[in-house]
Amino acid sequence: MHYPKKMRTFAANMEETGKCRGWLSRFRHWQEHASEFHRSSEEHVCRCCGETFVGNFCPTCGQKGTAGTFSWKSVRQGVMDVWGMGTRSLPYSVWQLLWRPGHFIREYVTGHLQVSFPPVKMLVIVALVATFLQYLLAKIDPVFTKEPSTSTGEGFMGGLDKLLENDQWAVLSLTSLLIVPTWLIFRYAPRLPHHKLPQSFFIQVLCSTQLLVIGYVFVSIGLLLYGQSAETMFMMSYIFIVTPIIYLIDYKQLFGYSWWGTFWRVVMVVLSFFSVALALISGYYGVSKLMSRGGDHFIVFVSVACGCLLAGGIIFILADFFNRKLWREQGMGKSILKLLAKTVLPLLLYLALIVLIMYFSKND
């Protein structure tokens, strides 16, 4: 029976769509269950010590139950181990961070230590390799040469400018400010409830490794395509566009919220990050002005620092309010009044204090 051409085309498209959906479902299943371990129920005789046992490894000498049975899989595994591509190697861990980052991070921080190369060691090695590659590429092609900084700043800002010259160490320093906000805002997550501050530390270590790898590739491609003049544009687009998207995907997989639930929590983390960063910078300038006997400037900078910390505190209070859904337990009216008391009253007191400081400074 002959079908019209449009119907045959439609059937072919539906078949291709079904194949794509099947591939996506298998890919998602792999993302969530890539590190599952299965205990063998077969009886083995250890080829090393002769012990008879049931399981994956010999309880006497620790040799794998299937060791000694050589196949082409053994050859492939041996070659991969030589080049560091076996299980728990650094390239294997980086590969996992690129394709299933949130699931991989959750497995590690919940105690599956065998799935990953040691995170801190991996972060340091990746940063050093990226620095070496940047130096090597600059010798090969001048387009990768970074222009020296023209800043003449001294003290804190001079040190900050020197730090930001090196993209690798800048990423490490900035992501460290996300440890506490992530811990506070995502502490009631479905897939990682009541996680602790040390777990948040390792979350940021693994995220930093991922950001370094993707950022290096992203900026290098931009330099190759558009030259050195586009470096700043690519760096800014990576920091303000690509990085939030990466964190959105990572936190969606890691914590198990919906896309919308993950989005507004990531926005709160970013806002709290800027509030803490501005508080640190303003506090430093306030102390430096006090040391140089600049009393008026000291008051201004310390007031700004306190305002930034207050804004960060309000963000955490709002996140806790929505995370715990307090209106369901206390009622909408009572919970709103408590929320206003915790947020609006401190803000009014802070504004009143600023007005008093301005009033007395004018009189002086």
Side-chain angles (χ1 to χ4, degrees):
M1 184 176 181
H2 298 284
Y3 294 96
K5 184 177 180 181
K6 289 185 177 179
M7 291 186 65
R8 293 198 301 270
T9 305
F10 176 75
N13 291 337
M14 291 298 292
E15 184 178 357
E16 291 296 327
T17 303
K19 290 180 180 179
C20 292
R21 288 178 179 175
W23 181 85
L24 284 175
S25 65
R26 291 193 297 271
F27 177 69
R28 288 171 183 168
H29 183 271
W30 171 79
Q31 283 185 313
E32 297 179 4
H33 306 284
S35 300
E36 285 185 344
F37 296 95
H38 301 283
R39 188 176 186 274
S40 173
S41 58
E42 299 179 5
E43 187 177 88
H44 302 278
V45 177
C46 181
R47 294 175 180 262
C48 180
C49 64
E51 176 76 19
T52 301
F53 64 95
V54 176
N56 297 332
F57 297 92
C58 174
T60 303
C61 66
Q63 180 166 289
K64 197 171 182 180
T66 57
T69 306
F70 290 98
S71 62
W72 287 110
K73 182 179 180 181
S74 305
V75 175
R76 179 180 60 83
Q77 187 64 39
V79 174
M80 290 177 66
D81 288 338
V82 168
W83 294 100
M85 294 294 289
T87 304
R88 203 174 176 262
S89 68
L90 190 148
Y92 173 84
S93 299
V94 172
W95 177 264
Q96 296 283 309
L97 281 173
L98 294 178
W99 292 104
R100 50 185 301 268
H103 302 295
F104 181 73
I105 294 171
R106 186 179 66 256
E107 289 168 357
Y108 184 83
V109 299
T110 54
H112 301 183
L113 304 184
Q114 291 300 317
V115 303
S116 173
F117 192 82
V120 178
K121 186 189 296 186
M122 177 167 58
L123 177 60
V124 173
I125 292 174
V126 168
L128 291 175
V129 169
T131 304
F132 174 74
L133 287 177
Q134 186 174 348
Y135 171 80
L136 189 64
L137 290 174
K139 293 293 184 181
I140 298 173
D141 192 338
V143 74
F144 291 99
T145 304
K146 291 183 69 68
E147 296 182 359
S149 174
T150 57
S151 173
T152 58
E154 298 179 356
F156 176 78
M157 292 308 294
L160 181 62
D161 186 69
K162 291 183 180 297
L163 176 67
L164 295 178
E165 280 184 16
N166 190 304
D167 306 331
Q168 292 78 31
W169 304 116
V171 170
L172 310 187
S173 303
L174 294 177
T175 53
S176 65
L177 296 179
L178 297 175
I179 295 174
V180 175
T182 298
W183 171 60
L184 289 173
I185 294 175
F186 285 90
R187 61 189 309 182
Y188 300 103
R191 290 183 178 173
L192 199 63
H194 303 290
H195 66 280
K196 299 178 181 178
L197 197 56
Q199 289 175 298
S200 185
F201 167 78
F202 282 105
I203 288 172
Q204 294 309 318
V205 168
L206 290 167
C207 287
S208 298
T209 305
Q210 179 196 22
L211 289 174
L212 283 177
V213 174
I214 298 176
Y216 184 78
V217 174
F218 182 83
V219 176
S220 298
I221 292 175
L223 288 173
L224 285 173
L225 294 178
Y226 300 100
Q228 204 171 37
S229 59
E231 180 183 9
T232 302
M233 180 191 70
F234 271 85
M235 279 298 302
M236 292 298 102
S237 61
Y238 178 72
I239 293 172
F240 293 106
I241 299 176
V242 179
T243 299
I245 294 175
I246 292 174
Y247 267 103
L248 181 65
I249 296 172
D250 289 358
Y251 284 3
K252 170 68 171 64
Q253 295 181 2
L254 172 61
F255 295 111
Y257 286 112
S258 64
W259 284 109
W260 168 245
T262 306
F263 174 77
W264 71 259
R265 288 175 176 86
V266 168
V267 170
M268 285 195 163
V269 168
V270 172
L271 293 177
S272 60
F273 163 80
F274 282 112
S275 66
V276 172
L278 290 175
L280 290 175
I281 295 174
S282 301
Y284 170 82
Y285 270 113
V287 173
S288 64
K289 293 298 180 182
L290 180 64
M291 298 297 291
S292 61
R293 297 182 180 180
D296 295 339
H297 294 91
F298 165 75
I299 293 174
V300 172
F301 283 116
V302 170
S303 300
V304 173
C306 292
C308 293
L309 291 177
L310 177 62
I314 291 175
I315 290 172
F316 295 145
I317 291 172
L318 290 173
D320 185 71
F321 177 79
F322 289 109
N323 278 329
R324 296 168 61 187
K325 297 180 174 61
L326 295 176
W327 61 87
R328 294 181 178 178
E329 302 175 1
Q330 305 172 357
M332 183 61 73
K334 187 177 180 180
S335 60
I336 292 296
L337 288 176
K338 286 186 176 182
L339 179 64
L340 292 176
K342 291 179 181 179
T343 57
V344 177
L345 288 180
L347 184 60
L348 292 177
L349 290 174
Y350 172 75
L351 293 176
L353 182 62
I354 294 297
V355 171
L356 287 176
I357 292 174
M358 293 176 62
Y359 174 77
F360 284 113
S361 62
K362 286 183 177 180
N363 289 337
D364 292 341

